[in-house]
Each structure stands twice: as C-alpha cells, then as structure tokens.
Amino acid sequence: MKKLSLAFLFAAANVALAQMDNPAMTNAPETKAAPAVPTLQIDAGKVTGKASPTLYGLMTEEINYSYEGGLYGELIRNRSFKADPAKAIYWDAIRSAISLDKSQPLNSALDVSLKVDVSKASKNSPAGIANGGYWGIPVRPKTTYHASFYAKGSHFSGPLTVAIESNDGKTTFASGTVDSISGDWKKYEVTLTTADVPVSKDNKLVITTTKPGTFFNHHGTVWFQQVSLFPPTYDHQANGFRPDIMQLLADMQPKFLRFPGGNYLEGDYINERFNWKQTVGPVETRPGHRSPWNYWSTDGMGLLEFLNWCEDLHMQPVLAVFAGYALRHDYVKPGPDLAPYVQDALDEIEYVAGSTNTLWGAQRAKDGHPAPFALNYVEVGNEDWFDRSGSYDGRFAQFYDAIKAKYPQLQIIATAKVKSRVPDLLDEHYYRSQEEMELHALDYDKYPRDSKTKIFVGEWATRVGSPTPNMAGALGDAAWMTGMERNSDIVLISSYAPLFVNVSDLGRGGSMQWRTDLIGYDALNSYGSPAYYAQKMFSTMRGDEILATDSQNIPLKDYQPRNRPKSQIRQIFFDATRSSQNGTIYLKVVNESGEPQSVKIQISGASIAPEGTATVLKANNPDETNSIQDREKIVPTTEKVDGLSADFTREFPPYSITVLELRSK
Ligand code: AHR
C-alpha cells in the first residue's frame, strides 16, 4: 500500500472538507463511483494529536427522577412533606386523619410535619400512614432495609409498627417495632429484613399503631418528619446510591461528572437555583427546593453526595457554579450585585478542593470527608446564550477573574461565546436528529488548532427513540463520537445528556420530562439503551494517540432537511486511535446504512498481527431498542478475528458499530 504523505493527507482532507461544505461538489465522483469498495486509510506513522484521556464523562442533573426515584437510594417519596404546600401528596392515611402541620416544625429547614390522628386505631384495625415510593418499593429476598423517621406524640406514646407490605395489604415482607414515642422530636430507626421472598415492586412502607392513645376528648396524635427507607446501597454507604445504576455507570468508565446541571443549576428563578450551601450537612437540615423540571428535590443528593459519586467511580468533578442567571431570564447585573454569587462560587470551590485549614474545607471535613477532592474544571453557568440581556460577558469576566486570582490552575469553562476573556474551554450543546448528527460529524476537523479555547461538548444526544434511544440514536451518536474522538486534541471533554430516566410513568406529569435519555429504570431494574452501549464501546476501547486517516468512495445518502437545501451525508464514519503502551490500534467503524458494507482497510506505518478482536453492536432495523421489559436485546458482542493485515477487507453489518482492535506484530 502506498504510504500516505503529509501533503497527500492534507490535500485529501481538504477535498473531503470542501465536499462537506460545498453541496455542488458532492455530486461528483463519490456517488458515481458507488460500486467501488469504500477504502479507509490509516497512517499509523502519523499521530495527529494526543487523544484527551478525559474525553468521555457524565452529565447529570435532577430531571426524569434522576436522583429521587433514581440513583439516590431513598425509597420514600416526599419524605419531608414539602413536595406540595397544600397536601401530603404520595402519602395515604390508614384509618387515620392526616394533614400538613406548620405548627410543629422539626427545624427551620423542615418547617412542616405530617400530623396523624390515630384515635381510631384498635387491635384489629391499626391506624397510620403509607407511602408507595417512586412507583413502587422494591422488595428482594433476604435483604435488609434501614427505616428511620423523626416523630413526636401527643396523647400518644406508641408503639408503632413499621412494615414493608404488598399494595393489596395481603403480604408483609418485613416489619419492626418502635416501642415508645416521646412528646418531643426524636429520631427512630428500625431494621427490616425480608425472608426468602420473591422479587416485587408493587409494595408500600406502612407505619401503624393499634393504640388510639386517646385521652378523654384529646385525640391520640403523632407527627412525622423525614420518613426514610434505604435498601442496601452501592458500597454500603449511608445516604448512598442504587447499586445496579452505579454498576451501569462504572462499566462505562467515565472520566468526569458534570454537575449539578443543566437547568437544575439555574432554577426557574434565582431563589430556585442549586444553592449548594443548603445541600450540605445532615440531610434533616437541608430544606430542599423545587427543580425546574417541576418536582421537589429534598437535596438528599447534595454537593458532597455528588463528590462522593465522583470518588466512587474515579471521575473528576466538572463543577458548574451558579452564575447569576435563571431560566426565566432573571439575571444579576455584573458588578457589586453579582459579588455575593461570585463569593458563593469561591466558597464552593473551597468546599470541594480546599484543605481542612480553610473555612469551607473544614466544613467538608465536618460533613465526613476530610480529604480535598481534586478539581480541575469549573464551569460558569449553563447555556448562558439564553440570556437575552447580554450580561454573560460581564458576569463571566467577574467569575473568571475572581476564580483565576485564587485558583490560577483551574480550567474555566464558558457556556456561551465571550469577548471579555479567553475561556479555557467553551461548552457546546447539540441535541439533534440522526441525520444532523451525521451531517456534523466532521465539524471539529475544521476547528483551528491554535485556538486557546478548547471544546467541552457538555450536552449532546441523537434524539431518536423514547424514553431511551433506539439503534438509530446509537448510530447517530457513534458517527458523532468518531468526530469528537478524531479531534480529541481539542475536544477535551464530552458528556451525553440526559443520563437517566425513570420509565415507570411515561404519561404527562409522570416520571419523564425529557424524551430521549441514556439509561432507563423502574423501582426494580435498570438498563442501558443501544446508545449507552455505543458510548461504553467508545469510552472503554481507545488509545491515547490519534492517527491520521483518509477515505475513498464512502457511499453517500441524500438528506433533505426542512427549509434548507438538500445535501448528502456519509454512510460510513470512522476514526483510529492507538495505544502508545502496546501499539494496539482501535479502529471504529459505523455503518449507518441498511446494507452490509464491504470495506477495504489499508494501514501504513505499522505491521498488523493476523489476530485481533471485533466488538460489534448491531440491530436488524434502526428502530430496534432495549426497554425495561427487554433490557439486553441489543448489546455488543466480541469475537476473535483472524486474517488481519495492513491491507484487508471486512464486511460491516447493516446498522452496526464496530470496534476493531488491531494488534501490532
Ligand atoms: O439535558 C436537558 C437540558 O437541556 C439541560 O438541563 C439544559 O442544559 C439543556 O437545555
């Protein structure tokens, strides 16, 4: 095979790019030469850049019941009774009268409680309350749950029975007793262990008494706050995470976590932002807040929990700080008005990364984590291009100057273009159809290499399939990822969004606010979409050197966007990276067409061993998908491949994503 010279590669790349840019040129040889076998060329003698080791990470926020009813282990819905100021939603009365009571606050954060009149209780008819969790309470055999609540009684001193029961009340899976309740607020804890029972989710937590406690005209009354039930968590951590979802994430080997949003960082209004200082410390001192995705967050998943999540999965935090702009266009003017928010961000950085000799580092130690977290990236705001006031340039400059002055080593990410400062990275967001993803898959090839500002693709997704993407989504994503990976000398970090969806109630006002999400779950099970598996393949199989590539005769398809000129899109996408450690070349090939595609692969500058491996994700049609009922319909398979060399032909199946691992001889 002819060795690709630098000049040839340059010229070929320019032709390819010109063809993408200029629809008139795309009519030419490539379509007419359709019968010719497409050829992918890799110049292993030419490394075009160092691949970013942190390219693939996670983006997360409270949306689609991501934490509450998702990753966060808590099973009780509306545990602090603040989800609705008018009534105790998600709670049922059992032969009792229940109401919200502002006159018996637990503290200033949890300033309302559930008043339960149990005066109708009797030996054969217990009275109390029940909670059905987030679309069910998962019951598993031989499992220990930790129940806890704050309570106080008036003319009532217990006992209380705490039980996990089936919704029809016919089966009690586990129960325990609190013998007496005092007249002052006190925390009570009960351990509930199931026997060898079948797995189920149509269950509830029930707290009842058989003693009415009534004294003359006084009704026996008990108040509750912070009623909690935790199953075993990932790594057995208190206030921890759901193990099955954590395992799905761990398998992706993500390198960073962008948190806490997204819109969730901003809130609809400034007073509904993610106010980090109110999310740390004991959970019963966190007031909680309304998420812009229209449901209540207890903030049990607070700043330290995000950091623990990073630590558990060896991810570095990409900390987004509130930058004085909320979704409904409230903003804080740069200057003295913004100064308290800038200070809040500095305090937050200190909480994350400061030593225990600092005020906020000491607070983190008090909260249970003396060691500082390694922090490299701070993002100022979220999608500030929505700020029509034009204040972002000034707001960004104020944050940038203050953060750089105190922490010059931090990389600062802007969320919209600014002129006043040179951000270290710019956060770009792309939610697109499959065709648009593919059409733009070569965009970063044109990004100026001398730019001081690098790229963070902080939210991206092919929005096909719901609640989780189907194979068409995975193909669009994979095409896009070849572009990011080939350019990961300038695209340093990237994260798909949204990450999670609870699929229990897909109707209006139910568990889903965004219709295409990477990982789905209900109270019992979780699954990865085809797009999840595509990303896992890209993230876990790649090298640290980007190799020069070129191609000939790639088949094209017509694309007619609405209200825009017709264009053509490639049907094969690819990129190649190599491990500098062992010389393995990772060639990723996406065949988005419905036909098997024979492709000639020519590699110069390396000797290729005949044996390698191929990991393939494929479907019979682009609509095929995984679901909560059929969780592993589409998963990658890995096989040994023989007959590899520096010049070989391989057939790529229809609708497929392949990672070929080519070893050097
Ligand atoms: O990912 C869903 C939302 O999309 C994010 O919250 C926001 O940043 C974007 O508009």
Side-chain angles (χ1 to χ4, degrees), residues 116-119 121 127-128 149 151-161 178-184 188 207-215 218-224:
V116 185
D117 179 336
V118 291
S119 54
F149 55 84
K152 64 185 277 187
S154 167
H155 304 288
F156 176 78
S157 56
L160 287 172
T161 300
V178 172
D179 291 332
S180 72
I181 297 291
S182 86
D184 297 315
Y188 300 92
I207 306 177
T208 51
T209 184
T210 52
K211 295 271 168 63
T214 307
F215 182 71
H218 298 288
H219 284 201
T221 305
V222 55
W223 287 266
F224 290 97

Side-chain angles (χ1 to χ4, degrees), residues 61 63 262-264 293 382-383 429 431 459 497-498 514:
E61 65 177 322
I63 183 175
N263 293 353
Y264 185 59
W293 299 105
N382 176 58
E383 295 191 338
H429 293 179
Y431 292 108
E459 294 180 29
W514 190 273

Side-chain angles (χ1 to χ4, degrees), residues 38 135 208 413 424 459 581:
W135 299 277
T208 51
I413 304 168
D424 297 303
E459 294 180 29
Q581 300 270 303

Side-chain angles (χ1 to χ4, degrees), residues 195-409:
D196 197 7
V197 296
V199 169
S200 63
K201 72 176 167 58
D202 293 330
N203 309 309
K204 56 189 174 181
L205 180 78
V206 175
I207 306 177
T208 51
T209 184
T210 52
K211 295 271 168 63
T214 307
F215 182 71
F216 292 106
N217 285 335
H218 298 288
H219 284 201
T221 305
V222 55
W223 287 266
F224 290 97
Q225 183 43 275
Q226 192 76 359
V227 183
S228 172
L229 180 68
F230 267 83
T233 56
Y234 186 77
D235 225 5
H236 309 288
Q237 290 167 12
N239 204 44
F241 310 122
R242 196 171 136 169
D244 57 330
I245 301 179
M246 283 294 270
Q247 194 54 53
L248 279 169
L249 300 178
D251 292 347
M252 293 169 81
Q253 297 177 15
K255 297 296 182 282
F256 68 87
L257 179 71
R258 173 181 177 229
F259 67 88
N263 293 353
Y264 185 59
L265 169 73
E266 307 166 79
D268 272 345
Y269 304 98
I270 290 176
N271 66 357
E272 290 181 347
R273 69 191 184 281
F274 183 83
N275 190 352
W276 74 269
K277 283 179 183 160
Q278 299 197 345
T279 73
V280 294
V283 284
E284 66 278 9
T285 63
R286 304 181 193 176
H289 74 290
R290 193 188 145 269
S291 132
W293 299 105
N294 263 322
Y295 58 94
W296 188 258
S297 169
T298 63
D299 288 327
M301 187 77 193
L303 178 57
L304 188 55
E305 285 73 27
F306 283 111
L307 295 165
N308 287 336
W309 180 8
C310 289
E311 192 166 75
D312 288 346
L313 298 187
H314 313 291
M315 306 181 284
Q316 58 171 301
V318 172
L319 177 69
V321 297
F322 178 74
Y325 174 74
L327 281 168
R328 303 284 168 117
H329 308 302
D330 286 359
Y331 72 97
V332 185
K333 275 204 206 98
D337 290 354
L338 193 63
Y341 296 93
V342 174
Q343 187 55 49
D344 240 26
L346 292 175
D347 293 347
E348 189 172 7
I349 294 167
E350 191 172 282
Y351 185 93
V352 174
S355 83
T356 49
N357 297 329
T358 62
L359 177 69
W360 288 103
Q363 181 62 44
R364 184 196 60 240
K366 196 168 156 217
D367 294 341
H369 201 287
F373 295 88
L375 180 68
N376 294 314
Y377 293 109
V378 172
E379 176 157 24
V380 178
N382 176 58
E383 295 191 338
D384 285 82
W385 67 77
F386 279 116
D387 175 8
R388 295 179 205 137
S389 73
S391 70
Y392 186 59
D393 221 332
R395 289 189 286 110
F396 180 79
Q398 203 168 330
F399 277 88
Y400 181 97
D401 291 351
I403 296 170
K404 284 277 184 190
K406 197 161 175 201
Y407 304 101
Q409 78 283 8

Side-chain angles (χ1 to χ4, degrees), residues 508-537:
R508 208 178 151 76
S511 58
M512 177 175 75
Q513 288 78 51
W514 190 273
R515 68 176 168 76
T516 311
D517 310 286
L518 198 65
I519 291 172
Y521 44 80
D522 63 9
L524 266 183
N525 296 307
S526 52
Y527 70 96
S529 60
Y532 161 86
Y533 287 106
Q535 211 175 125
K536 181 176 157 187
M537 286 164 67

